[in-house]
Each structure stands twice: as structure tokens, then as C-alpha cells.
Amino acid sequence: MGEKSKSRGCFGWFIALIVLAAVILAVVYMKYADALKLALQFFDIQKSGKLVNNTIPWRGDSGLKDGSEANLDLSKGLYDAGDHIKFGFPMAFTATVLSWSILEYADQMDAVNLLDPAKDSLKWTTDYFVTAHPSDNVLYIQVGDPEVDHPCWERPETMKGKRPVIKIDADTPGTEVAAETAAAMASASLVFKDSDPQYSATLLKHAKQLFEFADSKRGLYSVNIPEVQKFYNSTGYGDELLWAASWLYHATEEKTYLDYVTKHGNEFARFGNPTWFSWDDKLAGTQVLLSRLLFFKKDLSGSKALASYRGTAKAVMCGLLPKSPTATGSRSNSGLVLVSDWNPLQQSVSAAFLASLFSDYMLTSRIHKISCNGKIFKATELRDFAKSQADYILGKNPMGMSFVVGYGDKYPEYIHHRGASIPADATTGCLDGFKYFNSTKPNPNIAYGALVGGPYLNETFSDSRENVRQNEPTTYNNALLVGLLSSLVTTSSALQSLK
Ligand SMILES: *[C@@H]1O[C@H](CO)[C@@H](O)[C@H](O)[C@H]1NC(C)=O
Ligand SMILES: *[C@@H]1O[C@H](CO)[C@@H](O)[C@H](O)[C@H]1NC(C)=O
Ligand SMILES: *[C@@H]1O[C@H](CO)[C@@H](O)[C@H](O)[C@H]1NC(C)=O
Ligand SMILES: *[C@@H]1O[C@H](CO)[C@@H](O)[C@H](O)[C@H]1NC(C)=O
């Protein structure tokens, strides 16, 4: 490269500095950036395996022999929540949501130096999925047994109970968990496409095989493996098949995956009916993800099937806008979307994340208005809704507290989390650890960044260790929070990564 193109000259740098300063001053919201930094840190708290560059003082290596009974190294991956099970179905959803967040908001994350930690946490789970899928029609979907784990209260570093593994295969299929894992690996293949092409190709190969397995060997894992029913029972696999095919289409641009969502839309997509996006139900996410094709790919604009997906995504959005004629009634007096007494914030955060995405799709493609039964709303009102949910979660609520541990002046101090509640130097067995569960003192270790289950519809919250509905954090809640906060970190609505 010649000297001329290398040097901008003083004047050029000066302009660049002014522009850079203006961008940083004008657009970064420190409130959301601080919260995002914490939210990402929770994944470090949940890591199993031999830790690398660990920054959590009370965490160490654990689960090092996970998978050994199958001669596989399943030591990596994430503990699901306040326990030490690696549940494949929600872990895959966590990875897919993390990928989606990175793909859409890499620039925003990068602006606050959080892109690398996000990719690192994603890779910790996709590394696990690579080893959990040793041949085409075999996928290990769980490590650890809740019947052994849950009766104990101990740190992951000192757990002694058996760590059995569960797999699906051609005789015992599990379409939803295979398809969700395919979605995770397909979306992550896009995340690593530039930075690590070889890894990206590996992920994509697994994703294709897993989708084929999921689709050709149909069966519900929650029927075929009854043990999972008590924890992550799935209510159907149609949503995961569409979700996985949608991600595979984004990752490959191969027409067969687009044809798949076109062909199976009427069968699985529940067109016209808004649904809540969660670890169990991916329809709303699929509808928003497929909408982006109509927003950004001119050559697909004639697709009737895609129009049905986008129409349903619009119905989801119209349900969220508080002043819409079709606004959902599942909302607290001060405006938090709430649909369940179990892990209540899951749908608040997932709805807000989708609203942010949809408004950014609209703004990026210069569509500024959305009509809900004839009433017109601005795209920015969707973003305002998303912000209102984030602000509520971070402390603007009648309880005057944040639901993200370590954020703000008041936050949950007794979260249901084994590692956080037991001093790092304590030696406990399975049962005597319950003395820490029973303790009236706050957790000795602060699980910075953990998003807890959250308030009930009547806007009450009880900060106690027994309260698993309200006070247990989960990795998938945090993944959704990462997506939401990344969208709000800067004023920019420009989506760059996945066009
Ligand atoms: C750990 O830290 C070292 C030194 O900063 C760095 O080179 C390496 O990439 C890090 N590894 C991971 C997995 O983050
Ligand atoms: C789990 O899901 C399956 C399939 O949808 C259903 O048949 C079963 O009743 C559910 N079990 C529980 C405990 O909810
Ligand atoms: C903790 O409390 C439970 C219920 O009150 C009790 O059964 C148990 O013995 C206590 N465990 C310890 C180790 O203090
Ligand atoms: C609030 O709702 C919860 C869960 O539905 C219920 O258990 C609790 O009693 C209610 N509290 C008040 C003060 O109404």
C-alpha cells in the first residue's frame, strides 16, 4: 500500500477525532452499557469446565469429567440456573439468542468493548455442542441428573454426585432439541464466519446434520425421554423446525431452507396468532427473523409465505404497543408485560428484544409507521416500549429495585443460586450445604449480572432463597437481556451484521 493511502494527514485525523468524539458522546447510554457488561458477566458465572482467564473470584474449575461415561469431553457448556444441570434444550436457545444479539448488534457491543466477551461466552456453549454431537443422528442433550443434583446444596467446584448423560438418537428422537441445537450452531456459524472461518464451517456442518436428523426422525423429546418433563418439557417441535430452517437459510442462503419455511408455514406457524417468545416457543422469534428477509431482500418481496410470517410478527408488535387497539392485557399497572408466575421476566425481556429488533428493521429500511387495526404508530414507539421494559427491570418500578444482581442501589441479595450462596472456601457435602441455604444472611458471593425471575403481575417480589419462581436466574433470561440491552446501548438503529 502506498504512503498516500496510508496517511490521512493531520486534517483528516482531526476530523476523524471530532466525528468519533461526537459519536461517543452522543450515542452511548452508559446506563445500558453498564447493565450489558453485567449481564454478559453472568455467563462467566455459569461456565462449567476448565476455566480460561476466569475473572469471577468465587468460581473455579468444575464438571471436568462430564461426558466421560460416553467417552466424550462434555466439560464445557453452561449450568442452567441456580443448579448444575446442563440442560441442552434451553442451553441451545441461550446460544441462538446470544448469536442473534451479536449478529444484529455487534457494532453496538463493540462500541462499549463487549463484543469479545459475548463471542467468548457463545463459543463456550458451541464448543460443547460440537462434542455433544459425535455422529449424524446422536446428540447428547443433558449432563447431570436433577434427582441427584437438586437434593444437594453445594458449589459446582465440589459437587460429588453422579453426572449421567442423556442422548437422543434415531431410535429415541427429539426433534425440538435437535432443531434448536441446529439453530444455535447455524446462527453461531454466522457469528464466527469472518473471525474464524474454519470453526464457522464446522458449526454449519453440524447444524445441517442436526436439522436433517430433527426433520427426518420426528418425535418429541419430552415424550421419548419422560425425565425431562418436570423441567424443560416442550409443547411441540413445529416452532423449532421453522426456527432452525430460518437460521439455516440465513447461514447458507440455500433455497431448500426457505422452501421449508414456506411449505410448512400453514402446518406449524399459527399465522395470525401472536405468541410469546420463550425457550419453549420460538414462533414469534421466527416470525421476526423471517420478516427481516422481506425488509432487506428485495428479490424475496413477492413471497406470500414470508408476508404471512411478517403479518404475524406485526400482530405480535401490535400486541406489545401499549396504546394499540390489540394491546395485550398481560401487563402490570406500571406497564411491565407479564404472562407467567414462573420466571415472570422471561416474556417481558423477550417481547422487548423482539420489539427493538422489529423497530430497527423498520428504521433501517426507512419504514417509519406501523398500523394496528387502522391506528398508526411510529417505529420509535416500539423502541420506547422496549426501553420501558428495560428501565423497569433496571429499577424504575414501584418496588424501587433492580432485578439485575449488582445493578443499582437495591437488587436481590438472596438469589436461588448454589454457587453464590456458599462461601468459596467452605467445604460442604451434599446436605450440610443447606446451612447456607437456610442462612438469614445475604449471599456471600454477588452473582453480578444475574437477571432473576422477577415480579408478579401485582408488582410484588420476595427476595428469598426458597423463591425459585421469582428469585432464580437463568442463562436464557440473561441471553435475552443481552439482546435487549445491546439494542439500547447506542441511539443507532442501523443493523449491519446480518444483511
Ligand atoms: C486469555 O488471556 C490471554 C492473555 O490476555 C489471551 O491471549 C487469550 O486469548 C485469552 N483466552 C481466552 C479464551 O479468552
Ligand atoms: C410434556 O409435554 C408432553 C408433550 O407435549 C405432554 O404430553 C405431557 O403431558 C407434558 N408433561 C408435563 C408434565 O407437563
Ligand atoms: C435447613 O432447613 C431445613 C428446613 O427447615 C432443615 O430440614 C434442614 O435440616 C436445615 N439444614 C441445615 C444443614 O441447616
Ligand atoms: C401477588 O401475586 C402473587 C402471585 O400471584 C400472590 O401469591 C400474592 O399473594 C399476591 N400479593 C398481593 C399482596 O396481592
Side-chain angles (χ1 to χ4, degrees), residues 188-203:
S189 79
L190 282 168
V191 170
F192 296 106
K193 198 170 177 174
D194 292 334
S195 56
D196 192 344
Q198 202 178 343
Y199 187 61
S200 169
T202 301
L203 293 175

Side-chain angles (χ1 to χ4, degrees), residues 220 222-223 229 233-235:
L220 278 162
S222 43
V223 169
Q229 289 198 8
N233 202 27
S234 160
T235 49

Side-chain angles (χ1 to χ4, degrees), residues 431-438:
L431 288 177
D432 51 347
F434 275 101
K435 94 172 168 227
Y436 298 104
F437 180 85
N438 291 348

Side-chain angles (χ1 to χ4, degrees), residues 47 51-54 76 116 120 123-124:
K47 276 178 182 168
L51 302 182
V52 182
N53 297 347
N54 175 34
K76 281 187 171 183
D116 288 340
D120 172 69
K123 189 164 184 293
W124 201 262

Side-chain angles (χ1 to χ4, degrees), residues 77-157:
L78 300 172
Y79 299 124
D80 180 59
D83 59 354
H84 306 138
I85 308 301
K86 294 191 274 198
F87 289 111
F89 189 43
M91 200 202 301
F93 177 64
T94 298
T96 313
V97 170
L98 215 42
S99 294
W100 198 3
S101 309
I102 295 170
L103 290 169
E104 304 283 16
Y105 297 114
D107 291 348
Q108 283 83 338
M109 290 178 176
D110 206 24
V112 291
N113 293 322
L114 292 173
L115 181 56
D116 288 340
K119 285 173 76 174
D120 172 69
S121 293
L122 174 62
K123 189 164 184 293
W124 201 262
T125 62
T126 49
D127 284 353
Y128 169 87
F129 291 134
V130 168
T131 45
H133 181 224
S135 64
D136 289 19
N137 291 351
V138 175
L139 176 68
Y140 285 82
I141 57 142
Q142 187 169 311
V143 180
D145 176 355
E147 306 299 332
V148 175
D149 182 278
H150 290 183
C152 298
W153 197 262
E154 54 193 345
R155 304 172 62 238
E157 291 80 1

